[in-house]
Every structure is written in C-alpha cells, then in structure tokens.
C-alpha cells in the first residue's frame, strides 16, 4: 500500500518554516543592496552602454557608434592634458596627505601632548567648510594682484607678484594647498582611530630597549597603521582623479592652456555644454577603469592580496 504523506509535509519530509531569524539578515542588508543597485550598479551599466552610443540633442534618437567614442578619447589632446593634471595632483596629495596627518596623529596621541581636543578641533574645522566657499577664499588668496595674500607673503621676502592661477606650476601648487588645508584633519582622524588599536605594551617595550620617539614612529606606529594607510591611499587616489570642485571654482570649465583641466570637468563640458552625452559617458567609463586599475595595482604593491603564512 502506498504511503500517504502527512499534512504539512512534502514527499514525506517536513516543510521548513521561515522564521523571523531567517529574514532578519536580509532585511538589515537590503538598504545597502538597494542603494548599490540604484545609485551605482544601474548608473554604471547605463553609462557603459551609453559609451557605445551617440544621442542626438533634444531628441530620443540614439545612434550606435561602437568604439568611435573611445577612439575620440584616445585622439583627444585635452583628455591627456587633464589626465596629466589629475595624476600630478593625486601624486602630490598622496605624498603629503598620508605621512603628514599620520605624524600629526602620532604627536596628538602622545601622552605628553596637551590640549589634544583643541588641536583635533582646529585641524578638523576646514572639512566643515563648504568646498565652494573655501575655493572662493583661496581664489582671492592666490589673486594676481599685489594685495593677494600669497603675493604679499612672497613680497615680504622681496619677490615680485606672481600670477598664481595662470601658470602650470603655481596653479598646481594652489590646488594642492587647498587640498592639504581641507583634508589634513580628516586623515588625522583616520590615523588616530588606528592608533587607538596599537597596544601600548609595544611602546613600553621599545622604551625599555632605548628607542626614541622617531624610532617608535617608524618601526611600531607605521607598520601597525598599514590597514589605515591602504584605506587613506585608496580614497585619496579616487578623490584625486575625480577632482572637480576646486578646479571649477578657480577656473570654471576653461583655464589658460588647460592648466586646470580635469577629467570630470571634461565630462561636465561634454554633457552640459556640448550636449555630447555619449562622449561624456565614455570619459566617465574611462575614468572609472583608470582609477580601478591604479587602485588594484597599489593594493597589490601594498600586499593586500598576499596570502598569509
């Protein structure tokens, strides 16, 4: 006689009930997944598709152009000028905004330092300032007039007034200066959070062995802060190649000999001034892969993908 399944069973097996504990993890991660799909995955997919197309302005007509937009990028001198500008900017900001904030954090975290909260507050205040407001202030400070703050400073040493924002070298100095002023405090906070996880016994043992402050910084603090260094380097590279606000406030969408041109400014110009959305999307996709490759290389060099023994 065939066996009859009991109610509530399937093929003789009990049906598993879905409980709140089973659903809870998916509910907690759903905001991130939805945000990722809506604000990153979908736009990136659409931009990638649009990079192979050409939109006719003020119409819904789309023309498939294949790799033509990428060929335009390769043959566009303005793109390579902008790439060189953001590459230099990223190099200098990383060279300054990693060791300097890390050393400041080490000094602030020292038990011999007084007024720690005041120092932290003073260094963190710039990030609370609007980027546009900060850019306008620095624009006046780097004015070509003799009354500009930096011209008065160099005039004190007998130098002639300089057209800071009209020469390649001084223009890059202006961009790096505002970045250092704005982001030193933020990176310092990152490194302070890492220093709180460094065991004090390491410093005490080093003191017993006769190590001075610089030796402790080089051989204890720096290796222990490696994960924070990798994080700060990654976000600095991404922010450097995505430079827009400061350059836009200084020069707008055009600058003398493209000394202030960035890839994002080229995207803005192509999309909103020339209505060339296909080419703008191609520039965006190109920028994405450039940043991705550079970050993967630096993560490889920093040993993030190294297998643990």
């Amino acid at each position: 006689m065939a066996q009859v399944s009991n109610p509530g069973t399937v093929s003789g097996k009990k049906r598993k009930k879905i409980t709140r504990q089973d659903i809870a993890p998916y509910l907690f991660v759903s905001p991130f997944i939805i945000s990722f799909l809506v604000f990153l995955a979908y736009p990136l997919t659409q931009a990638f598709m649009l990079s192979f197309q050409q939109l006719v302005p003020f119409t819904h007509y789309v023309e498939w152009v294949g790799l033509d937009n990428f060929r335009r990028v390769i043959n566009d001198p303005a793109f390579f000028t902008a790439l060189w500008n953001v590459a230099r900017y990223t190099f200098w900001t990383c060279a300054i905004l990693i060791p300097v904030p890390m050393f400041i954090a080490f000094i602030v975290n020292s038990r011999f330092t007084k007024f720690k909260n005041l120092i932290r507050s003073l260094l963190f205040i710039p990030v609370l300032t609007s980027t546009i407001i900060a850019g306008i202030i620095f624009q006046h400070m780097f004015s070509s007039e003799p009354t500009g703050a930096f011209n008065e400073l160099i005039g004190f040493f007998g130098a002639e007034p300089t057209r800071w924002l009209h020469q390649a070298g001084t223009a890059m100095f202006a961009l790096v200066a505002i970045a250092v002023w704005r982001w030193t405090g933020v990176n310092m906070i990152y490194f302070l959070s890492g220093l709180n996880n460094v065991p004090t016994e390491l410093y005490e043992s080093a003191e017993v062995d006769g190590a001075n402050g610089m030796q402790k910084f080089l051989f204890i603090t720096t290796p222990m802060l490696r994960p924070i260094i990798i994080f700060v380097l990654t976000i600095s590279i991404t922010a450097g190649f995505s430079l827009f606000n400061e350059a836009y406030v200084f020069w707008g969408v055009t600058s003398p000999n493209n000394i202030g041109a960035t890839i994002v400014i080229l995207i803005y110009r192509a999309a909103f001034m020339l209505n060339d959305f296909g080419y703008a999307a191609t520039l965006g996709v190109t920028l994405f892969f450039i940043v991705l490759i550079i970050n993967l290389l630096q993560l490889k060099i920093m040993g993030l993908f190294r297998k643990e023994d």
Side-chain angles (χ1 to χ4, degrees):
M1 181 180 295
Q3 182 179 1
V4 179
S5 299
N6 294 327
T9 65
V10 177
S11 301
K13 296 181 181 179
K14 290 184 178 180
R15 182 182 301 166
K16 183 180 178 181
K17 293 183 179 180
I18 299 177
T19 63
R20 293 182 179 180
Q21 288 78 6
D22 297 327
I23 300 176
Y26 298 98
L27 291 178
F28 283 119
V29 300
S30 60
F32 167 77
I33 295 175
I34 294 172
S35 300
F36 173 80
L37 293 175
V38 173
F39 297 108
L40 184 61
Y42 176 74
L44 183 60
T45 303
Q46 290 297 312
F48 186 77
M49 293 177 59
L50 187 57
S51 65
F52 297 98
Q53 301 171 350
Q54 184 61 54
L55 299 180
V56 177
F58 309 111
T59 69
H60 296 285
Y61 178 74
V62 178
E63 180 184 358
W64 183 268
V65 295
L67 297 175
D68 287 353
N69 286 328
F70 290 94
R71 295 190 186 96
R72 288 179 59 189
V73 171
I74 295 175
N75 296 319
D76 188 356
F79 169 76
F80 290 99
T81 301
L83 181 61
W84 174 241
N85 289 340
V86 295
R88 288 188 298 145
Y89 173 82
T90 303
F91 170 81
W92 287 114
T93 51
C94 290
I96 297 173
L97 286 175
I98 292 179
V100 172
M102 182 168 62
F103 186 72
I104 294 175
F106 177 73
I107 297 299
V108 172
N109 196 60
S110 173
R111 65 177 183 270
F112 301 108
T113 303
K114 298 181 179 180
F115 309 109
K116 294 183 179 181
N117 292 332
L118 177 62
I119 296 174
R120 293 173 185 172
S121 300
L122 291 176
L123 290 174
F124 194 78
I125 284 176
V127 77
L128 302 178
T129 308
S130 168
T131 306
I132 304 301
I133 300 300
I136 293 174
I137 293 174
F138 272 81
Q139 185 182 41
H140 288 287
M141 293 176 65
F142 284 106
S143 172
S144 302
E145 299 297 327
T147 55
F150 282 92
N151 275 337
E152 288 191 345
L153 178 62
I154 63 175
F156 179 78
F157 298 98
E160 296 294 327
T162 299
R163 302 182 68 193
W164 296 93
L165 301 180
H166 293 79
Q167 304 172 84
T170 53
M172 183 57 59
F173 173 78
L175 287 172
V176 174
I178 189 173
V180 171
W181 171 82
R182 184 171 175 79
W183 299 112
T184 296
V186 177
N187 290 355
M188 179 198 67
I189 298 299
Y190 292 142
F191 288 116
L192 279 173
S193 66
L195 286 172
N196 292 330
N197 296 321
V198 179
T200 56
E201 293 82 3
L202 295 178
Y203 294 114
E204 294 171 356
S205 300
E207 289 178 357
V208 172
D209 293 335
N212 56 34
M214 183 56 68
Q215 289 172 328
K216 289 187 289 185
F217 176 76
L218 292 176
F219 299 107
I220 297 178
T221 304
T222 303
M224 294 297 292
L225 289 179
R226 179 170 160 269
I228 305 298
I229 294 173
I230 293 175
F231 170 74
V232 173
L233 181 58
T234 302
I235 63 175
S236 297
I237 291 173
T238 304
F241 278 87
S242 303
L243 174 66
F244 176 76
N245 288 342
E246 292 84 354
Y248 183 80
V249 172
F250 281 164
W251 297 284
V253 295
T254 57
S255 57
N257 297 320
N258 283 329
I259 59 175
T262 70
I263 298 179
V264 180
I265 283 181
L266 295 184
I267 295 173
Y268 177 90
R269 185 191 304 171
F272 300 109
M273 299 184 66
L274 302 177
N275 294 314
D276 196 346
F277 294 100
Y279 187 61
T282 307
L283 289 171
V285 171
T286 304
L287 175 61
F288 170 79
F289 282 109
I290 289 174
V291 174
L292 178 64
I293 292 172
I294 292 176
N295 271 323
L296 289 177
L297 288 175
Q298 68 90 4
L299 291 175
K300 178 67 176 179
I301 293 172
M302 296 293 288
L304 189 65
F305 304 131
R306 183 174 53 206
K307 293 182 179 180
E308 298 293 338
D309 298 330

